[in-house]
Amino acid sequence: MTIHNLYIFDKNGTLLFYTEWNRLKNSGITREEEAKLMYGMLFSIKSFVAKISPLDMKKGFLCYKTNKYALHYLETPTGLKFILNTDVNAHDVRELLQKIYSQVYVEYIVMNPVCKLDEPIKSELFKEKLDELIKNSPFFVSKSV
Amino acid sequence: MVIYGVYIVSKSGGLIFNHDHNIPKVVSEHTFNHPIDIKLVNENKKIVVSFGQHDGIMVGHTLIAVNGTSVSGTQLDDGRDALEMIEDKSNYPLTLRFTRPRVTTNEKIFLASMFYPLFALASQLSPEPKSSGIEVLEADTFKLQCFQTLTGVKFMIVADPAQTGLENILRKIYEIYADFALKNPFYSLDMPIRCELFESNLQALLEQAEKSSNITHV
């Protein structure tokens, strides 16, 4: 089991933060382009899911899986979007995403008056704490190439 | 076991078959006094709830009847404008009926072609090499399982999130497709499937699947 990478977007689609742990394939485009592509895809998935759903939704889109990886999605009511890619066997990743939001983002970005909320995250403390949380999670096992 | 629908998309992204299985009807009716406590807006020629959910009336639901008279678009069947009627204080109390909008055939074609790039992007944005496209997409109210054949045809099934064994059902649908659609001399490839035998066999399969979760062992 492994965790590949994490994206954080704000409500306007700005990439606030990107980090990777075990990424074995690069998309072959620049990070900004990739972020736009990712946000566009999620935006479309959201409207797709809202239309095709047979019932009224509460949380909406949760995750998708391919044969190689799973993408887990958490959107807060304020429009922040957390995207974590893991391998397909990881479960309860939603809890981890919730933790990233409440225990790392809120604690070290929202409560830090020097951090602007709609700009990419530069805080070293945030990166450190995030790394710590991810590396302590049970899914995180480094996979050699 | 609940299956909501089956979609088949050709390799160029066009919807060639769709079957609604049993989509639950969400209808709610409520009698209102003036002033009305929900916000209604005119959206795409429909009257849609935009704020103030209560008593089963949810944001996104459309108005389908006023005092028992059905509404088509923004007009009542007798020609009166529904929004004007709702604004007029002398018409109260009013009984309004709302429903979750059903997906029209046009929208289904639109959604099918929308899934195509999503499928491709999921594989391009993969952190692992040689990833396929989306196989399972989960939301809190449903699960969409997709199976792409070697020839590029996609079979999709929308079901309850707790439903298991969907891969096997999809494979069986593929079998039915190969037997009753492809072997039908009147069927031309990549065109919408209109074969009675195909439909009846599919229907039977879905019913059997809903009855027993043991279809995997049949």
Side-chain angles (χ1 to χ4, degrees):
Chain A
M1 297 228 258
T2 174
I3 294 178
H4 299 299
N5 51 4
L6 171 83
Y7 298 80
I8 302 176
F9 291 100
D10 76 352
K11 64 173 185 292
N12 302 315
T14 317
L15 181 67
L16 293 182
F17 188 71
Y18 174 80
T19 184
E20 59 186 42
W21 291 278
N22 298 304
R23 186 168 178 165
L24 305 171
K25 179 206 165 214
N26 277 302
S27 51
I29 47 177
T30 62
R31 184 99 328 129
E32 293 92 69
E33 293 277 313
E34 186 189 277
K36 279 181 200 165
L37 211 55
M38 177 60 95
Y39 188 78
M41 177 180 74
L42 293 167
F43 192 85
S44 310
I45 287 183
K46 251 178 72 182
S47 86
F48 176 83
V49 162
K51 280 232 175 72
I52 211 162
S53 170
L55 295 161
D56 292 300
M57 295 190 298
K58 291 201 176 68
K59 285 177 274 183
F61 171 55
L62 303 176
C63 71
Y64 75 65
K65 288 182 182 132
T66 75
N67 63 350
K68 288 283 164 94
Y69 77 105
L71 177 143
H72 302 265
Y73 177 79
L74 174 83
E75 181 170 354
T76 69
T78 50
L80 273 171
K81 292 162 186 76
F82 293 81
I83 294 109
L84 193 68
N85 288 327
T86 67
D87 70 315
V88 281
N89 301 318
H91 46 87
D92 288 338
V93 182
R94 240 187 134 62
E95 256 168 57
L96 180 65
L97 278 171
Q98 196 76 48
K99 267 188 195 162
I100 294 175
Y101 172 53
S102 63
Q103 295 178 5
V104 187
Y105 183 82
V106 171
E107 294 285 331
Y108 300 102
I109 298 297
V110 181
M111 292 191 184
N112 182 346
V114 200
C115 290
K116 289 235 173 87
L117 287 183
D118 47 359
E119 278 172 18
I121 294 164
K122 293 189 191 81
S123 161
E124 284 298 324
L125 186 63
F126 172 78
K127 282 176 203 170
E128 237 169 68
K129 295 286 175 185
L130 178 70
D131 222 42
E132 201 178 296
L133 179 71
I134 294 289
K135 287 194 170 146
N136 287 333
S137 88
F139 326 115
F140 187 84
V141 178
S142 190
K143 209 159 130 184
S144 52
V145 185
Chain B
M1 299 280 280
V2 192
I3 292 168
Y4 296 121
V6 175
Y7 300 82
I8 304 177
V9 178
S10 75
K11 66 164 180 283
S12 46
L15 184 69
I16 56 172
F17 180 81
N18 88 80
H19 173 84
D20 285 337
H21 199 58
N22 39 23
I23 294 182
K25 266 210 167 126
V26 186
V27 179
S28 44
E29 197 169 43
H30 192 70
T31 307
F32 292 91
N33 289 314
H34 192 80
I36 189 167
D37 57 355
I38 50 174
K39 170 92 181 121
L40 297 172
V41 290
N42 187 340
E43 202 179 280
N44 297 328
K45 292 176 193 152
K46 275 183 276 181
I47 296 172
V48 181
V49 180
S50 76
F51 183 77
Q53 13 187 64
H54 66 82
D55 293 310
I57 301 167
M58 308 292 273
V59 168
H61 282 192
T62 52
L63 181 69
I64 50 164
V66 178
N67 286 340
T69 320
S70 59
V71 175
S72 37
T74 60
Q75 277 194 334
L76 260 72
D77 277 355
D78 53 18
R80 284 178 294 175
D81 189 271
L83 275 180
E84 270 172 30
M85 202 170 159
I86 289 164
E87 271 163 31
D88 191 352
K89 201 175 173 179
S90 61
N91 289 325
Y92 282 81
L94 266 182
T95 305
L96 304 177
R97 192 184 299 152
F98 295 92
T99 183
R100 185 178 161 77
R102 295 291 288 268
V103 193
T104 62
T105 312
N106 261 339
E107 281 177 313
K108 276 181 193 147
I109 295 171
F110 171 77
L111 287 173
S113 48
M114 198 167 147
F115 187 72
Y116 187 86
L118 296 179
F119 189 87
L121 275 176
S123 137
Q124 204 198 338
L125 290 170
S126 164
E128 287 247 23
K130 294 198 191 97
S131 171
S132 70
I134 297 176
E135 282 183 348
V136 192
L137 189 145
E138 279 177 52
D140 57 347
T141 51
F142 72 94
K143 174 158 104 176
L144 183 147
Q145 181 102 27
C146 176
F147 165 62
Q148 174 162 282
T149 70
L150 289 175
T151 49
V153 180
K154 289 187 194 73
F155 291 83
M156 284 183 270
I157 195 162
V158 178
D160 189 83
Q163 179 90 18
T164 53
L166 288 174
E167 283 131 329
N168 292 294
I169 300 175
L170 281 171
R171 260 155 232 273
K172 288 214 160 66
I173 297 175
Y174 183 30
E175 247 171 66
I176 294 175
Y177 167 77
D179 282 344
F180 298 100
L182 294 185
K183 287 178 189 168
N184 183 335
F186 300 105
Y187 175 68
S188 44
L189 214 60
D190 290 344
M191 291 300 279
I193 301 170
R194 294 193 202 290
C195 307
E196 255 174 54
L197 263 180
F198 174 72
E199 267 181 63
S200 54
N201 275 280
L202 183 81
Q203 180 86 36
L205 171 73
L206 294 182
E207 266 156 30
Q208 190 200 353
E210 282 196 320
K211 250 181 254 160
S212 67
S213 51
N214 299 327
I215 183 142
T216 48
H217 311 301
V218 174

